[in-house]
């Protein structure tokens, strides 16, 4: 099942996509919902960021090849942390498909982007075991993580948001969530 958030006229709603057809729902994919009789052709609506989460985290320094590549560029030996560097990102970092990613005026020439797998958590959870983790996943979407690499050194040590700016990380770059766990 593919979920989306969309705008038709002034109305913003959740919907379920089936091919090129979109069916509006009342409620949300995270609570009770009901399919309405309102349908549209997908190309006639504006797709929005698929969800506006109350909390938005990003994991970094978790891709060994990237850590190695960046270390080689700096001429140093790669250092792999014991765990991913997880940091909070503000909701205004979410940008929908075809919306501009605003790069700060003082950014240098090391602005880079990379595709990311975005995991959408569908149920409230805390201290979940690895064995139970997928029971809380609602679905997946893709993201476009944009960073100014010159601003990143030291970020993991200081936990400052220096490498991501207000609209710089964009997990809304693919406007649908493929949900197979809660059909």
């Amino acid at each position: 099942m593919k979920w989306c958030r969309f705008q038709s006229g002034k109305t913003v709603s959740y919907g379920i996509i089936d091919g090129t057809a979109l069916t509006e729902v009342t409620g949300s994919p995270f609570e009770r919902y009901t399919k309405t009789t309102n349908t549209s052709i997908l190309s006639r609506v504006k797709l929005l960021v698929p969800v506006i989460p109350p909390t938005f985290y990003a994991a970094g320094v978790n891709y060994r090849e990237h850590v190695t590549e960046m270390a080689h560029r700096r001429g140093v030996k790669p250092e792999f942390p014991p765990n991913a560097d997880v940091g909070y990102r503000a909701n205004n970092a979410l940008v929908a498909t075809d919306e501009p990613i605003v790069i700060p005026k003082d950014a240098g020439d090391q602005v880079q982007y990379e595709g990311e797998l975005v995991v959408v958590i569908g149920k409230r959870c805390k201290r979940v075991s690895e064995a139970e983790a997928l029971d809380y996943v609602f679905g997946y979407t893709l993201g476009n993580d944009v960073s100014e690499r010159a601003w990143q050194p030291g970020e993991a040590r200081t936990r400052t948001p220096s490498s991501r700016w207000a609209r710089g990380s964009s997990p809304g770059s693919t406007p649908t969530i493929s949900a197979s766990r809660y059909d």
Side-chain angles (χ1 to χ4, degrees), residues 11-71:
T11 304
V12 173
S13 301
Y14 281 105
I16 297 173
I17 299 171
D18 185 12
T20 60
L22 171 67
T23 302
E24 182 180 342
V25 300
T26 57
S28 86
F30 305 104
E31 300 166 358
R32 292 191 164 206
Y33 69 89
T34 305
K35 288 183 180 181
T36 70
T37 57
N38 300 334
T39 61
S40 184
I41 296 172
L42 196 54
S43 62
R44 293 190 179 164
V45 301
K46 177 181 172 76
L47 291 175
L48 304 173
V49 173
V51 293
I52 303 295
T55 307
F56 167 33
Y57 294 95
V61 199
N62 59 334
Y63 184 50
R64 292 183 69 86
E65 287 183 35
H66 189 256
V67 171
T68 301
E69 177 187 344
M70 296 283 86

Side-chain angles (χ1 to χ4, degrees), residues 32-134:
R32 292 191 164 206
Y33 69 89
T34 305
K35 288 183 180 181
T36 70
T37 57
N38 300 334
T39 61
S40 184
I41 296 172
L42 196 54
S43 62
R44 293 190 179 164
V45 301
K46 177 181 172 76
L47 291 175
L48 304 173
V49 173
V51 293
I52 303 295
T55 307
F56 167 33
Y57 294 95
V61 199
N62 59 334
Y63 184 50
R64 292 183 69 86
E65 287 183 35
H66 189 256
V67 171
T68 301
E69 177 187 344
M70 296 283 86
H72 287 303
R73 286 185 184 183
R74 294 189 312 271
V76 298
K77 182 181 176 185
E79 294 182 29
F80 303 103
N83 298 304
D85 179 35
V86 178
Y88 175 80
R89 300 293 183 252
N91 286 342
N92 66 350
L94 301 171
V95 181
T97 297
D98 297 328
E99 292 292 322
I101 295 174
V102 178
I103 298 173
K105 291 178 184 176
D106 60 341
D109 61 355
Q110 294 187 45
V111 174
Q112 296 178 349
Y113 62 91
E114 58 187 329
E116 301 285 355
L117 173 65
V118 178
V119 179
V120 179
I121 305 300
K123 297 188 280 186
R124 185 176 292 273
C125 58
K126 187 174 184 178
R127 293 185 174 90
V128 175
S129 72
E130 185 176 342
E132 298 172 304
L134 290 178

